[in-house]
Structures are given as C-alpha cells and as structure tokens.
Amino acid sequence: MDCILRNASVYRSGAFEQLDLLIRGGVIKRMAPQLPAEEGCADVDMEGLCVVPGLVDVHVHFREPGFLQKESIASGSAAAAHGGYTTVCTMPNLNPTPDTLEHLEVQLKAIRETAKIRVVPYGTITMKEQGVKRSDMEDMAPFVAGFSDDGRGVQHDDMMREGMAEARRLGKIIAAHCEINDLLKGGYIHDGEYARAHGHRGICSESEWGQIARDVELARETGVKYHVCHISTKESVDIIRRAKAEGVDITCETGPHYLVFCDADLQEHGRWKMNPPLRAAEDRDALIAGILDGTVDMIATDHAPHEADTKERGLEKSAMGVVGLETAFAVMYTHFVKTGRMSLADLVALMSEKPRARFGLGTPLEEGQPADLAVFDLEREWTVDPTCFLSQGKYTPFDGMKLFGQCVLTLVGGEIAWQESK
C-alpha cells in the first residue's frame, strides 16, 4: 500500500506532531509536515486521527495448535489487528506444546500461512509444561520470544533455576506464570469479601507473590532476563519494585481488567473469571500506582478465548480466561488518559515502546522502519459488543461498557491488516 497519510497527529520520539507519512514498499520513507504529492501514492486524509506505532502484546493465547474450537492463529491475529496490534507473542499451553523444535514447527507453519500480523511464539520451559524435565530450549531459541510455562507455575526450585540458567546462556527471556499449586486449594476467584459473601472458594494472594519472591532470588542468582506475567496483587508490586531497586533484571506486566475492576465488581458469570483472578480494591490501586511509577512496565491482555459452553457455567464451573485484544487500548485510553492520570504518550510507551524494548519485537514509528502502525479515532465513543469481535472468544468483563478510542486502520509492513469498512 503506497500512500501518504496526511494531516494526522503522529507519535514520534515520545511526542505527538502534526505530520504527513510517506509509505512506499512497506517502509516509512518520510515523515514531515505537508509532504508533496508522490506519483503512484494515494493521498489518505487522516485529519482528526492519531497515528501510533503498532501495539505490542507479549501475552496472548491463540489456541492453535490443539484447540481450534476456541481460537486460531487466523482469528486471533485478525482480532489483534482490529485492536491496533501489529506484534503479539503467543503462549505455549497448546497441543502439542512447543517443547521441541519439531512441536514448535506446527505452530510456526500456521503462523506463516495464516497470521494477519507479526506473531512470535514462546517455547516452554519444561517438557509438556509438567515441570519435570527441561524443554529443548537451545533448538527453539532462534524462533521464540522467550520461554514460559504459562498456565502453570514451575513448582520446583531446581527446575526453575536450570531453566533460567539455560535461558541466560541463550540470551532469552523467562516469562513466568507465578502460582504455587499447594496454596490454590480448589479456589477459582480471589480469596476476598465477594468469595466469603457468596460461598465461593478463594485463591489466596500468596499463591502468586510467593513464587515471584522465589523467582526474584533465582533471577538474581542466574542473571537471567526475567519477566513476570499478569501480576494482580499489591505484594507482587512491592516485591518487583524492591527487586528493581536492587538491580535484578526484572520486568512485569498487568492487564487492563486488573486496573479497572476488583472483586467487588464480580458477577455470577464466566466473563468475570480469569487466572489470576480480580483481586481486592487495594490490589487494584497498588497496580495503578505501579503503572504510574514505572514498577509495572507494560500492558498485556492475556487474551484467552473460550467457546460458549465452557464460559456459560457461572463463576465456579466456567473456564478461566477472558479476551482483551479488541478492547485494551480503548479501556486504557478511557480510564487513564481521558481522566488525566497519564498522557497519551505514556500509554503508547506501555503498549508499544516498552514491550518492544524489553523483548526486541516490533518497530518504532520512524523513517526507514517497516510501516507497522495503528490509526485511532480518539474521540469516537463506542459500546463494547462482543458479537462484533473478530476473535472467536466473546467473553469479556468490559461487555456493554462505553469507551473512547477506536482503531480505524492497522498496517503491517505497509499492508492493511485491519481497516474500518467505511
């Protein structure tokens, strides 16, 4: 798509400027005010719209191979493009699990053939994510974003130490789902006021932060690049803040739902059930403080689609996981930028620049770079309607919420990955 995007508010070097963008051969050739017309380039008026570098999500579940009834690389990547994402990292709780290069290749083939955006998988830390034997990390390293047993915490200290040491040798990130199995005790929502009031079994906060504390010491020992997935508790924020101050090579993520909701918002429906669960208001507030002071490095959706018959069973019996790719930017913009708690540039950093810098994925919005970008209408108000999602998953706690900021165009390598039909 050779074109000139004109009159947009364009994010460049940490600030927004009124610029034109010349895109040829999939590359941003020039960025300047009032560029002259170019032969063979369509003029596209972007007045009133905002152009940002393509969003990067380092934690999504596209369910292929193994669970196509929930999502596929094709549908998940289409949903990502719809939300303004140009690069995502897919988690490895699949069938077969990507624990050898042969198993990983099943997913890589689907990505090559069907992905609408740039999709980079994780390999597992352990074989079949069982926490007993290390995966073939060296063979997979050139093809993965990092290593994770997401969906399960690695229970044994020695196994995690071994995985971290190998990742350190290979120059790759360990992205850890932190959860101590012995503390779960059959819980499925936060062990808080709502659980007690409604007779539900709770998941204690220590099941998360206890393993983060262990991993911090192992990361200190091994020198690995360590990333904590989907943190949800105030103790997790405190542990990570201290570890950073002490020089541990650690980053972390949280999701929009943990920043907007708490367990007081729960309803008796599967769209409110995810792992980790929505915690108490004080946990939510600590996460917000962590976002604002830089302890929490990035926003990741943990996009986790499920089919209807596994999500319509109430809080106790529904599957864990909600979708988020098609709402994340608008949720964050509405609740944090429009309310004045952060700037739009801060939000772009959380959803594009910081994950790109940490994981070495995605591209900046600069001359000479691939045209991976998203265009948003920030003033447009819309209501979340999951029936309009491109994801096969339709379950989100944001169902029915009014938001501002809608993606109207996503380009990947200068080609249209998503475009509003009108």
Side-chain angles (χ1 to χ4, degrees), residues 291-399:
I291 283 281
L292 298 179
D293 72 14
T295 301
V296 181
D297 300 272
M298 61 195 77
I299 299 298
T301 63
D302 193 10
H303 176 87
H306 290 286
E307 65 276 40
D309 65 358
T310 66
K311 289 298 284 183
E312 295 281 356
R313 300 178 180 179
L315 282 176
E316 180 179 0
K317 296 183 179 180
S318 289
M320 297 276 198
V322 295
V323 295
L325 286 167
E326 293 168 270
T327 56
F329 182 89
V331 167
M332 293 300 299
Y333 178 76
T334 302
H335 288 270
F336 290 91
V337 179
K338 282 190 75 69
T339 59
R341 289 194 276 184
M342 69 173 62
S343 70
L344 181 57
D346 291 336
L347 180 57
V348 173
L350 286 167
M351 299 189 71
S352 182
E353 289 193 324
K354 290 183 178 182
R356 182 181 74 232
R358 179 58 164 172
F359 284 79
L361 301 170
T363 59
L365 197 59
E366 296 174 0
E367 292 180 358
Q369 293 290 334
D372 292 1
L373 58 87
V375 181
F376 286 91
D377 183 344
L378 298 178
E379 296 307 310
R380 188 183 304 179
E381 185 179 25
W382 58 285
T383 300
V384 177
D385 178 0
T387 65
C388 298
F389 288 171
L390 300 186
S391 172
Q392 290 172 213
K394 310 298 181 185
Y395 294 92
T396 169
F398 298 105
D399 192 348

Side-chain angles (χ1 to χ4, degrees), residues 20-188:
D20 295 348
L21 274 73
L22 170 62
I23 299 171
R24 274 193 180 278
V27 173
I28 300 170
K29 294 294 188 181
R30 288 193 63 196
M31 299 170 64
Q34 298 180 332
L35 288 173
E38 290 260 342
E39 185 177 353
C41 283
D43 272 18
V44 184
D45 187 9
M46 293 281 163
E47 186 171 0
L49 302 177
C50 175
V51 180
V52 301
L55 306 183
V56 179
D57 191 337
V58 301
H59 190 144
V60 304
H61 298 266
F62 283 175
R63 308 299 194 194
E64 184 179 4
F67 306 97
L68 288 169
Q69 74 277 15
K70 299 176 184 291
E71 190 81 287
S72 65
I73 298 293
S75 63
S77 62
H82 189 198
Y85 289 90
T86 58
T87 303
V88 299
C89 302
T90 51
M91 286 299 178
N93 47 344
L94 303 166
N95 186 19
T97 52
D99 48 18
T100 67
L101 185 56
E102 179 183 6
H103 289 165
L104 176 65
E105 176 56 31
V106 180
Q107 187 182 177
L108 292 173
K109 182 175 186 291
I111 290 169
R112 289 192 298 267
E113 293 177 352
T114 65
K116 309 292 192 298
I117 64 167
R118 305 186 195 279
V119 177
V120 186
Y122 285 94
T124 64
I125 300 169
T126 67
M127 298 298 291
K128 296 185 178 180
E129 294 191 318
Q130 292 180 347
V132 176
K133 180 182 178 183
R134 182 167 54 79
S135 68
D136 293 344
M137 295 169 72
E138 183 170 12
D139 290 347
M140 294 187 289
F143 308 100
V144 297
F147 296 99
S148 179
D149 273 8
D150 187 61
R152 303 180 184 183
V154 177
Q155 301 302 302
H156 301 294
D157 299 2
D158 287 344
M159 186 70 258
M160 188 54 134
R161 181 184 288 109
E162 181 182 341
M164 284 185 171
E166 181 67 355
R168 169 71 172 82
R169 185 182 74 83
L170 297 169
K172 305 300 287 190
I173 284 175
I174 289 286
H177 174 118
C178 290
E179 190 170 48
I180 298 172
N181 290 349
D182 287 346
L183 297 181
L184 298 179
K185 302 183 186 304
Y188 46 86

Side-chain angles (χ1 to χ4, degrees), residues 173-375:
I173 284 175
I174 289 286
H177 174 118
C178 290
E179 190 170 48
I180 298 172
N181 290 349
D182 287 346
L183 297 181
L184 298 179
K185 302 183 186 304
Y188 46 86
I189 64 172
H190 176 57
D191 185 16
E193 292 183 9
Y194 188 93
R196 289 188 287 272
H198 295 82
H200 291 297
R201 293 188 300 279
I203 300 173
C204 70
S205 295
E206 188 179 356
S207 65
E208 174 181 302
W209 64 256
Q211 197 163 93
I212 294 175
R214 178 206 69 176
D215 282 1
V216 163
E217 294 310 310
L218 293 176
R220 192 195 313 273
E221 174 187 331
T222 61
V224 73
K225 294 180 180 179
Y226 177 62
H227 178 79
V228 192
C229 296
H230 48 45
I231 68 168
S232 68
T233 76
K234 63 183 188 296
E235 294 90 350
S236 300
V237 177
D238 289 341
I239 290 165
I240 292 165
R241 184 181 287 118
R242 288 196 301 271
K244 287 186 171 190
E246 294 165 358
V248 179
D249 191 351
I250 183 172
T251 53
C252 67
E253 68 191 48
T254 196
H257 42 285
Y258 301 118
L259 298 168
V260 173
F261 299 118
C262 66
D263 69 338
D265 299 302
L266 286 172
Q267 300 173 23
E268 294 293 317
H269 192 282
R271 70 176 179 272
W272 293 91
K273 187 178 182 182
M274 71 288 293
N275 190 25
L278 297 175
R279 303 286 187 181
E282 60 192 28
D283 295 297
R284 178 196 59 199
D285 294 345
L287 291 168
I288 292 171
I291 283 281
L292 298 179
D293 72 14
T295 301
V296 181
D297 300 272
M298 61 195 77
I299 299 298
T301 63
D302 193 10
H303 176 87
H306 290 286
E307 65 276 40
D309 65 358
T310 66
K311 289 298 284 183
E312 295 281 356
R313 300 178 180 179
L315 282 176
E316 180 179 0
K317 296 183 179 180
S318 289
M320 297 276 198
V322 295
V323 295
L325 286 167
E326 293 168 270
T327 56
F329 182 89
V331 167
M332 293 300 299
Y333 178 76
T334 302
H335 288 270
F336 290 91
V337 179
K338 282 190 75 69
T339 59
R341 289 194 276 184
M342 69 173 62
S343 70
L344 181 57
D346 291 336
L347 180 57
V348 173
L350 286 167
M351 299 189 71
S352 182
E353 289 193 324
K354 290 183 178 182
R356 182 181 74 232
R358 179 58 164 172
F359 284 79
L361 301 170
T363 59
L365 197 59
E366 296 174 0
E367 292 180 358
Q369 293 290 334
D372 292 1
L373 58 87
V375 181

